[in-house]
Amino acid sequence: MKTAIHIGSMRFYAYHGVLPQEQKAGNYFRVEVTLYTDFSRALTSDSLDDTVNYVDIYQVIADEMAHPSQLLEHVAGRIITALTHQFPSITGGKIIVTKEKPPITGDIRDVSVVVEW
């Protein structure tokens, strides 16, 4: 059995970007994660001790989003490192970090980076 925790559409106001105005004014970002972890015991135990608490996962992501980076790739890497360090039971996953309304000429709603590990 393969089990995962998925948290979608977390939205943050943060200061990630290469351009000085992005670092000063900020922007909205979304993060979505799927984290592979064995919570098969929780399927029958109904105990939080047998899984990874998604409230704690959210807090780790929020903490990392609060630290500015130039690149979305770097933000994703920092989040992966923090999550796998704090929750050793995570064996892999997928993260999508999205910048809403990037400063690009044209009608572009958002840009994202995707990392699977």
Side-chain angles (χ1 to χ4, degrees):
M1 176 182 307
K2 193 169 191 176
T3 54
I5 294 172
H6 177 83
I7 306 175
S9 298
M10 293 172 274
R11 194 169 189 233
F12 303 93
Y13 198 86
Y15 298 88
H16 309 304
V18 174
L19 301 176
Q21 68 264 26
E22 293 180 285
Q23 297 168 9
K24 185 175 181 177
N27 198 353
Y28 282 103
F29 296 83
R30 292 187 317 274
V31 178
E32 185 169 327
V33 293
T34 300
L35 302 170
Y36 295 105
T37 182
D38 181 9
F39 60 75
S40 56
R41 287 180 47 190
L43 296 173
T44 56
S45 72
D46 197 27
S47 173
L48 189 56
D49 292 335
D50 292 331
T51 188
V52 177
N53 187 334
Y54 53 79
V55 173
D56 296 337
I57 293 169
Y58 173 84
Q59 191 57 58
V60 168
I61 294 169
D63 290 347
E64 289 302 322
M65 288 300 292
H67 298 290
S69 288
Q70 290 188 38
L71 302 177
L72 296 180
E73 293 86 344
H74 189 252
V75 175
R78 286 191 298 103
I79 292 170
I80 292 167
T81 299
L83 286 171
T84 56
H85 177 74
Q86 176 126 0
F87 308 107
S89 65
I90 294 173
T91 59
K94 178 178 180 179
I95 185 169
I96 303 171
V97 180
T98 301
K99 178 187 288 189
E100 297 181 4
K101 300 178 186 170
I104 299 172
T105 302
D107 187 12
I108 299 173
R109 181 177 56 165
D110 56 41
V111 295
S112 302
V113 297
V114 179
V115 181
E116 293 185 57
W117 75 99

